[in-house]
Amino acid sequence: MELLCIRQWISGLLPTVKKWLSAWCIKPVGGALVRQEPEYILLALMGSPLKKIMLCSSEKEIFSVEEQVMVQHSVIINNMIEDGSYNHEESKIPLDCVDSKTLKKVIDYCTHHTHHHNDNQEDLEAWDAQFLNVDSNGLYDLLMAANYLEIRNLLDLIYGTIKNMIKGKKIDEIRRIFNIKDHGFTPEEEEQNRKEYPHFY
Amino acid sequence: MAEALFSYLSDDILVSIFSKLDGSDPRHRAVLSSVCTRFCSLLRQHHRLLLPLPPSHHFPNDSTNTPEILLKLHFCCPGLLHAGVVSESGFGSEDPIGKRRKLCNQKEHLASGVWSLSREQGSKLLARQFRDDCLYICDWPGCLHLEEKRKYRLFRGVFVDFKETRVWKALNDGKNKVKRKVDVGGCAFCKSEESWDLHSAFCLRRVFGFHDDGEPVVRAFVCDNGHVSGAWTDVPMYS
């Protein structure tokens, strides 16, 4: 709600702001200001339009991404920028546990959810479903990256996906999904469990 | 193998995944705690994650009512035998298919109907003088069994601190003690071999009454550990 009020306030300022921008010779860069979205105008006023940060994957590949996008989604990156440990001029943030393929996907997720947060819920959910249409390896890598970067909504999404993989499944199937070769029960305990809950095996 | 990666998930990630499951469905806990000792231990540590519902907090140190038994009470129907509807001696001359069908319904099985237990339901069962005893019974309509004569809605439940209850005192009172013991094939939920007939011990509400053929409208049996199995039937429309 607060964001809505700010947006309305900014929208009210727009005609004045546009006049100032042209007076100060601030030209649109890369099409960003042309989009006329109020938050971009405000960022321009603040003198930091679409500030970028550099993320470095485990394969030493550099990804340039809007600071706002990552700050909104990743608690770790937000903390680094807030406490001043990230120097925009020189630094890149090394993410040694995240490979390039996964990092690109994480950036896609965060960027989409920043730029499309006003989309209706159904469209967002459809996009998320498509985003997570990956194999188990990919899902695991995304989970590890989201956990490391503390991206809450992506983590929740992945938890929900794994929950759906095990919900309603029999015990033997869940053991296969998690590759549990040694369940740890004694033969007597296992037999007792199978007698107690035969319909779950 | 891709799936092998999931075996490396940390405890807090597993707990987060489990927390997404519907905590009120006792099946999830039953299944997950039987997958491996690690899951079982996590669920015990985070017992609020996946309920078992109300009764568990009443039994903190009760070895006869472990979390596993309490869980089983939620979704396991005791079957027609343990609920005292049929006896083990059989069903007379029936065709083999009918006999097999009856065998399935006799023993404990996954209950149909609601899986929650409530004290309110237990209070409705007991006679006035026993209302202070804490009895949890599964909610109406119980597990429906359509038999030749009538419909039986099997229920199950448990007394809290059974040996401290007035029901237990009444069951053990004086000369009629032996007559109240019945054989319903033992308890469906524990190793107790004997059960007590709550109806003949006047522990149930008097209003329930009998059908024309002498069958009680409500029957209930309790084992030494306070596990209750019984059956509701539909009240006759006419007296």
Side-chain angles (χ1 to χ4, degrees):
Chain A
M1 271 310 285
E2 286 169 9
L3 190 57
L4 193 60
C5 297
I6 292 169
R7 284 170 64 85
Q8 283 171 340
W9 174 72
I10 293 170
S11 304
L13 290 178
L14 264 177
T16 317
V17 162
K18 276 188 196 170
K19 223 164 66 176
W20 290 346
L21 281 178
S22 55
W24 294 344
C25 300
I26 294 175
K27 302 276 188 290
V29 174
L33 290 178
V34 173
R35 271 189 269 186
Q36 302 269 308
E37 286 179 29
E39 45 269 49
Y40 292 100
I41 308 291
L42 187 60
L43 283 172
L45 275 176
M46 288 161 67
S48 56
L50 301 171
K51 197 187 283 183
K52 300 279 182 112
I53 57 173
M54 308 296 194
L55 304 180
C56 182
S57 75
S58 59
E59 290 141 312
K60 308 300 176 209
E61 193 176 339
I62 311 286
F63 292 84
S64 172
V65 58
E66 293 169 31
E67 177 183 308
Q68 282 301 311
V69 163
M70 292 316 296
V71 151
Q72 269 176 36
H73 287 96
S74 165
V75 172
I76 294 294
I77 292 177
N78 179 62
N79 289 349
M80 286 178 73
I81 289 174
E82 271 198 357
D83 71 15
S85 54
Y86 179 74
N87 181 331
H88 283 89
E89 304 303 321
E90 299 162 10
S91 303
K92 39 188 184 295
I93 300 177
L95 301 173
D96 294 333
C97 348
V98 189
D99 63 26
S100 296
K101 180 176 160 194
T102 308
L103 185 52
K104 182 171 185 320
K105 280 216 51 123
V106 167
I107 291 170
D108 279 347
Y109 176 88
C110 298
T111 308
H112 182 88
H113 276 264
T114 298
H115 294 170
H116 293 261
H117 66 267
N118 280 333
D119 286 8
N120 73 52
Q121 197 57 29
E122 270 179 29
D123 290 342
L124 281 173
E125 283 172 9
W127 190 92
D128 285 345
Q130 185 55 35
F131 174 80
L132 280 185
N133 189 13
V134 295
D135 62 17
S136 297
N137 261 325
L139 189 64
Y140 179 84
D141 290 340
L142 274 170
L143 173 59
M144 292 297 110
N147 190 47
Y148 178 67
L149 290 166
E150 291 187 47
I151 302 174
R152 193 78 255 152
N153 45 356
L154 179 56
L155 271 173
D156 277 349
L157 185 65
I158 297 173
Y159 292 150
T161 301
I162 300 176
K163 176 260 302 187
N164 288 337
M165 282 164 64
I166 63 176
K167 183 181 170 182
K169 293 284 195 315
K170 307 266 188 192
I171 290 166
D172 292 328
E173 289 173 292
I174 296 176
R175 284 174 179 168
R176 273 196 294 278
I177 289 168
F178 284 91
N179 195 41
I180 295 167
K181 296 240 167 11
D182 177 13
H183 46 68
F185 294 115
T186 63
E188 293 74 28
E189 284 168 340
E190 175 71 355
E191 193 189 326
Q192 178 62 22
N193 283 346
R194 285 186 186 261
K195 245 166 62 172
E196 290 266 327
Y197 310 121
H199 24 269
F200 291 148
Y201 280 85
Chain B
M1 175 105 183
E3 282 80 8
L5 294 171
F6 286 109
S7 57
Y8 296 119
L9 294 179
S10 64
D11 284 356
D12 55 348
I13 287 181
L14 283 174
V15 165
S16 299
I17 293 167
F18 296 165
S19 71
K20 291 283 182 189
L21 290 161
D22 177 7
S24 64
D25 185 341
R27 281 177 298 181
H28 297 311
R29 190 183 191 96
V31 167
L32 290 175
S33 56
S34 305
V35 167
C36 61
T37 49
R38 184 186 174 200
F39 285 15
C40 186
S41 157
L42 278 176
L43 287 166
R44 276 183 188 250
Q45 280 172 47
H46 300 268
H47 58 92
R48 289 191 192 286
L49 254 192
L50 296 177
L51 328 175
L53 305 170
S56 65
H57 67 273
H58 288 296
F59 303 92
N61 300 310
D62 187 341
S63 59
T64 58
N65 282 301
T66 60
E68 287 71 28
I69 287 181
L70 294 171
L71 191 60
K72 190 174 177 183
L73 277 159
H74 283 85
F75 59 78
C76 182
C77 172
L80 294 168
L81 173 66
H82 299 301
V85 178
V86 298
S87 66
E88 271 203 55
S89 52
F91 356 36
S93 53
E94 285 184 26
D95 64 274
I97 291 172
K99 237 183 191 169
R100 269 202 296 279
R101 185 181 66 81
K102 277 228 166 172
L103 271 170
C104 292
N105 286 335
Q106 270 205 3
K107 297 287 186 176
E108 54 264 36
H109 54 274
L110 201 63
S112 62
V114 182
W115 287 344
S116 52
L117 306 184
S118 76
R119 187 167 176 192
E120 192 191 340
Q121 208 58 245
S123 297
K124 286 182 191 170
L125 194 66
L126 295 174
R128 183 179 290 278
Q129 63 267 40
F130 303 106
R131 293 289 173 86
D132 287 338
D133 291 343
C134 185
L135 169 62
Y136 281 86
I137 290 286
C138 70
D139 281 315
W140 179 268
C143 182
L144 183 62
H145 291 247
L146 295 167
E147 296 297 308
E148 280 162 32
K149 269 195 291 191
R150 52 181 55 92
K151 281 190 269 198
Y152 296 95
R153 300 176 192 279
L154 267 56
F155 59 83
R156 65 271 176 203
V158 61
F159 279 95
V160 177
D161 290 331
F162 183 49
K163 298 285 164 59
E164 308 300 319
T165 62
R166 287 189 166 191
V167 165
W168 175 251
K169 287 187 182 54
L171 292 173
N172 282 277
D173 174 37
K175 50 189 188 245
N176 289 323
K177 181 174 162 180
V178 169
K179 287 187 186 168
R180 295 174 202 131
K181 284 207 175 185
V182 291
D183 180 8
V184 289
C187 176
F189 304 101
C190 68
K191 292 187 173 51
S192 184
E193 285 176 4
E194 285 182 323
S195 296
W196 307 78
D197 181 357
L198 289 170
H199 193 280
S200 68
F202 303 107
C203 296
L204 305 184
R205 290 176 69 195
R206 291 281 193 94
V207 74
F208 293 139
F210 294 86
H211 292 281
D212 286 345
D213 58 7
E215 268 202 65
V217 169
V218 180
R219 74 197 73 199
F221 303 91
V222 63
C223 77
D224 284 345
N225 295 317
H227 304 132
V228 173
S229 299
W232 293 300
T233 56
D234 293 335
V235 176
M237 292 289 286
Y238 49 86
S239 52

